[in-house]
């Protein structure tokens, strides 16, 4: 599965990047994130690992992420490997104007183990939920940048 998103954020790429990479603030910025558990010490960089506990409807889901690529303030690649599937959230920030940033997000998932291949036909049914979560995160990021 691959989903692509784009949003204009009313802030500089530096501020948007800072919001994306400030793990301690994620539960305050993103309404679906309940808490973050750091698995590696600061500072934030390639190799940083953390667990994100997120609300999905009436359930909570905990997933472990790691930073695979980081080019401040232009690119951030987050990876999660879970249940035989590799998930990627690839953020690109483009300065449109000193006070506006276009954020492009490509979300990819691909099976990498037997369980992932077995469950891959069901990914079709998850597309709407994933899209809705990411769109809400982008709205929350927009709101946080507008008030920062």
């Amino acid at each position: 599965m691959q989903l692509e998103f784009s949003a204009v954020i009313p802030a500089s790429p530096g501020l948007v990047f800072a919001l994306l990479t400030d793990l301690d603030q994620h539960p305050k910025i993103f309404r679906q994130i309940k808490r973050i558990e750091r698995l590696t010490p600061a500072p934030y960089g390639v190799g940083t690992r953390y667990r994100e506990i997120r609300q999905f409807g009436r359930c909570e889901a905990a997933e472990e992420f790691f930073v695979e690529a980081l080019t401040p303030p232009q690119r951030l690649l987050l990876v999660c490997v879970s249940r035989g599937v590799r998930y990627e959230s690839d953020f690109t920030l483009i300065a449109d104007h000193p006070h506006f940033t276009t954020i492009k997000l490509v979300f990819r998932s691909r099976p990498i183990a037997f369980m992932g291949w077995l469950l891959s036909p069901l990914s079709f049914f998850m597309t709407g939920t994933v899209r809705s979560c990411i769109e809400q995160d982008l709205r929350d990021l927009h709101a946080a940048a507008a008030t920062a």
Side-chain angles (χ1 to χ4, degrees):
M1 167 185 4
Q2 179 168 309
L3 302 172
E4 298 183 16
F5 303 86
S6 181
V8 176
I9 307 293
S12 69
L15 176 58
V16 175
F17 197 82
L19 292 170
L20 284 172
T21 58
D22 187 351
L23 293 177
D24 297 330
Q25 295 301 313
H26 280 195
K28 295 174 186 160
I29 295 170
F30 302 103
R31 69 183 70 186
Q32 296 171 11
I33 296 176
K34 298 306 171 193
R35 67 185 181 280
I36 296 288
E37 298 170 0
R38 288 180 173 273
L39 303 175
T40 55
Y44 191 96
V46 172
T48 295
R49 299 181 92 76
Y50 63 95
R51 184 172 295 113
E52 177 183 283
I53 295 82
R54 177 180 283 268
Q55 191 74 38
F56 277 110
R58 288 175 280 195
C59 302
E60 280 190 357
E63 297 294 348
E64 188 175 316
F65 290 85
F66 66 92
V67 178
E68 187 168 279
L70 184 71
T71 309
Q74 293 104 8
R75 183 167 182 246
L76 170 62
L77 175 58
L78 298 175
V79 174
C80 171
V81 177
S82 178
R83 297 168 193 84
V85 178
R86 176 183 166 98
Y87 300 94
E88 297 179 355
S89 296
D90 196 350
F91 297 85
T92 304
L93 282 62
I94 302 160
D96 292 329
H97 180 275
H99 305 292
F100 290 95
T101 300
T102 296
I103 184 168
K104 294 184 183 284
L105 170 56
V106 178
F107 175 84
R108 297 178 201 90
S109 67
R110 64 180 171 86
I112 58 170
F114 177 74
M115 183 60 78
W117 286 104
L118 187 65
L119 296 175
S120 64
L122 299 177
S123 68
F124 171 78
F125 297 104
M126 293 301 296
T127 302
T129 302
V130 170
R131 180 176 295 283
S132 175
C133 286
I134 293 172
E135 288 172 345
Q136 182 61 57
D137 283 353
L138 290 173
R139 285 191 296 273
D140 291 343
L141 182 63
H142 184 282
T147 59

